[in-house]
Amino acid sequence: MSEELREAARRAARAMIEARVLEDKLRSLYKAGQIVGGVYLGRGQEALSGVLGTQLQQGTDVFAPLIRDQAGRTGFGEEILDVTRTYLGSVEGPMRGRDGNIHRGRPEMGMPAMISHLGAAVSVVTGMLLARRLKGRLDGVVGATCIGDGGTSTGAFHEGLNLAAVEQLPLVVVVANNQYAYSTPNTRQFRGDLFDRAAGYGIRGWKARGNSLMDCLDKVGGAVAAARAGEGPQLVVADLLRLGGHGEHDDGAYVADALKAGELGRDCLEVAKEELLEAGLVDESLWNQWEEKAREEVTAAVAQTQREAAPDARQEDWRAMKGLAPEGNF
């Protein structure tokens, strides 16, 4: 294993750990009544998302995360304070206290705010890549976004991916096939394998084990490298299981016990630790240090955010994004 690959695995693992610690804290704050609105956790998806985020380059690439992509956000460089300030309604946050959950972003750094309309981000990133081509700024750039199995049935998913294929844009679409679109199982959503859809668009497909850090690194890393090398759009389909309900308001009782007890039900963070220990990339002491550092950083961010002011409507100019230049940065 090359040193580059070894370091990539460590970066992704750290993003996974930080995301899990952060979201465990968000869960506690939500249950304590300190967060208004929905809380959607990426538990079970951190390997897939964390690898994607760490394979992209902030300031060069475009990354449009979905609701369970905190690990990807972290890997891409999102600051913990951006997260805590948004959830707790601080006026200092990127959304200036106007949004209480996951609809936050930093478009000027290549991360558009999350869109609730599933599939829409595929079209948005495709448009951003096309805009960069027209401006002569597309060389070496990758645009990536995530979607769940349910979102692959939307028109926006089809339209965006089809246009990207026709234009041969460097788009990577990562499908987290967590077996349920909210509470609707795959068997009631589509027939066949989502992986086979890549051939329908005339693009390359990749099949990943979504709870394996090393397999995600191989497949997602390969897809990003292929897109960056000019090989056109890439579709990665990763089988996994979200380890909870659709959101913290949902107990996920509809998830089949057999899935929970099977290979897909294994916690990707535990799998990642096993893989890295076996490969000699970490030891118990280093892993524990990463966890402790994450806890310290999350605790400090929450404490700082709780001291900050809420927005004042009398002084607010109601710009959607703080610090975004009028012409944007596509």
Side-chain angles (χ1 to χ4, degrees):
M1 184 185 300
S2 69
E3 185 55 38
E4 181 180 4
L5 186 59
R6 294 166 69 89
E7 183 55 32
R10 294 189 190 101
R11 287 199 312 271
R14 294 188 69 173
M16 292 172 66
I17 290 170
E18 184 174 305
R20 178 67 65 87
V21 171
L22 174 57
E23 291 195 328
D24 282 349
K25 183 61 175 179
L26 293 177
R27 170 188 281 172
S28 297
L29 291 169
Y30 175 78
K31 292 184 180 301
Q34 296 185 49
I35 291 178
V36 177
V39 172
Y40 305 89
L41 305 182
R43 182 177 286 267
Q45 193 171 312
E46 292 99 338
L48 177 65
S49 183
V51 165
L52 178 61
T54 53
Q55 289 293 300
L56 300 172
Q57 302 168 13
Q58 188 185 87
T60 298
D61 296 330
V62 175
F63 176 45
L66 203 61
I67 61 173
R68 271 176 265 283
D69 281 312
Q70 183 56 56
R73 289 173 174 272
T74 299
F76 192 61
E78 182 180 59
E79 296 183 4
I80 295 176
L81 275 171
D82 271 10
V83 185
T84 56
R85 284 169 166 168
T86 303
Y87 274 95
L88 294 171
S90 167
V91 72
E92 301 297 330
M95 310 310 290
R96 304 179 70 167
R98 296 181 62 197
D99 193 301
N101 46 35
I102 37 75
H103 303 102
R104 66 184 185 277
R106 292 284 187 181
E108 70 277 15
M109 297 191 304
M111 189 170 71
M114 209 273 316
I115 304 170
S116 283
H117 299 79
L118 298 179
V122 179
S123 297
V124 169
V125 175
T126 297
M128 293 173 75
L129 293 174
L130 188 57
R132 290 194 182 194
R133 172 183 285 172
L134 294 174
K135 293 180 179 181
R137 295 167 43 201
L138 192 59
D139 287 349
V141 171
V142 171
T145 189
C146 305
I147 193 74
D149 44 287
T152 63
S153 297
T154 63
F157 171 84
H158 162 73
E159 292 159 5
L161 192 51
N162 187 62
L163 178 59
V166 170
E167 294 292 339
Q168 281 295 282
L169 295 169
L171 174 70
V172 177
V173 177
V174 175
V175 181
N177 180 13
N178 61 28
Q179 315 305 308
Y180 289 87
Y182 203 124
S183 59
T184 304
N186 284 178
T187 54
R188 301 300 299 168
Q189 294 181 60
F190 52 82
R191 291 186 62 81
D193 193 317
L194 292 175
F195 170 79
D196 295 330
R197 296 193 182 185
Y201 292 103
I203 65 176
R204 185 173 180 181
W206 304 73
K207 185 85 165 177
R209 289 183 289 121
N211 61 354
S212 165
L213 185 155
M214 298 309 292
D215 196 57
C216 287
L217 191 57
D218 179 43
K219 306 302 171 42
V220 175
V224 171
R228 202 179 301 281
E231 297 180 22
Q234 312 287 312
L235 181 67
V236 181
V237 178
D239 291 331
L240 51 85
L241 189 68
R242 65 172 190 246
L243 304 182
H246 179 71
E248 285 304 286
H249 59 279
D250 168 36
D251 65 7
Y254 45 81
V255 178
D257 290 339
L259 281 174
K260 295 178 185 178
E263 183 62 28
L264 290 181
R266 295 191 66 201
D267 187 337
C268 63
L269 208 62
E270 295 178 3
V271 174
K273 184 177 180 180
E274 291 177 6
E275 290 177 333
L276 267 60
L277 285 170
E278 183 177 339
L281 300 181
V282 301
D283 55 26
E284 288 280 356
S285 176
L286 181 57
W287 187 274
N288 292 338
Q289 288 177 33
W290 288 348
E291 290 182 327
E292 182 58 31
K293 188 173 188 295
R295 284 191 289 268
E296 291 173 357
E297 291 176 346
V298 168
T299 298
V302 170
Q304 178 175 333
T305 301
Q306 289 175 329
R307 294 192 297 268
E308 295 173 347
D312 182 347
R314 294 169 295 182
Q315 300 181 19
E316 178 59 67
D317 63 8
W318 303 118
R319 287 174 297 158
M321 292 289 181
K322 184 177 180 181
L324 179 61
E327 69 275 11
N329 182 17
F330 304 122

